[in-house]
Amino acid sequence: NPGLRIGPAEIAFTAQHFEEMLRLRQSSRLFRLRTAQETLQHLEFHNSGPGQIPGLIVMSLRDDSSAPVDPQYDWIITLFNARPDPVSFTLHELPDLPLRLHPIQAASTDERLRQASFEASSKTFTVPGRTTAVFVA
């Protein structure tokens, strides 16, 4: 399919996105937990069970006051939307938090990524299709 050929613009975009993802990973030690115990203590998966939305993974990383690992963020919520369409997900058990799109992603070169949002009153995240969005508090 000649319409699927990549050129310099697509290569540059991909390289910029990859660099953003590396900076994002480096931005919090919660993304680099070192032991199984740390992982069990800080990581939780949502969107599971019979009512789950297919193609969506939702995880939260929470800094525990008894064993803090990140001085900057108390919560990180990551949504991996593998679906081609946008998806909304409500995390009812989430405490009231001033969540916002991670600053690296808020300034992303990917316009679609910058459309990811969180509505605090309903605790609902909306993520464009085929996008990984990271929200922090």
Side-chain angles (χ1 to χ4, degrees):
N1 182 347
L4 296 178
R5 287 189 179 184
I6 61 169
E10 291 81 13
I11 293 169
F13 177 82
T14 301
Q16 289 170 344
H17 179 71
F18 184 72
E19 288 173 5
E20 286 176 7
M21 295 303 283
L22 289 175
R23 287 195 334 266
L24 190 113
R25 182 179 183 273
Q26 191 64 32
S27 72
S28 174
R29 180 138 131 44
L30 286 167
F31 283 126
R32 300 181 315 280
L33 298 172
R34 296 179 181 152
T35 66
Q37 180 60 36
E38 277 189 332
T39 303
L40 290 170
Q41 189 170 6
H42 298 283
L43 175 66
E44 184 176 354
F45 285 96
H46 311 277
N47 189 39
S48 58
Q52 69 182 290
I53 299 169
L56 178 68
I57 298 171
V58 181
M59 71 176 205
S60 61
L61 292 160
R62 186 172 56 89
D63 208 8
D64 188 327
S65 60
S66 66
V69 297
D70 185 340
Q72 186 172 3
Y73 300 120
D74 293 326
W75 283 80
I76 297 175
I77 312 289
T78 304
L79 296 93
F80 303 88
N81 181 8
R83 302 163 55 98
D85 53 317
V87 67
S88 292
F89 179 78
T90 302
L91 189 53
H92 297 288
E93 64 271 20
L94 189 67
D96 290 333
L97 296 170
L99 285 166
R100 67 188 191 289
L101 192 59
H102 193 289
I104 291 171
Q105 291 191 320
S108 176
T109 57
D110 184 349
E111 281 184 40
R112 189 170 49 168
L113 173 57
R114 294 192 313 259
Q115 295 171 10
S117 63
F118 173 68
E119 175 57 49
S121 63
S122 64
K123 299 181 182 182
T124 300
F125 299 87
T126 302
V127 179
R130 296 194 173 102
T131 299
T132 298
V134 177
F135 295 85
V136 294

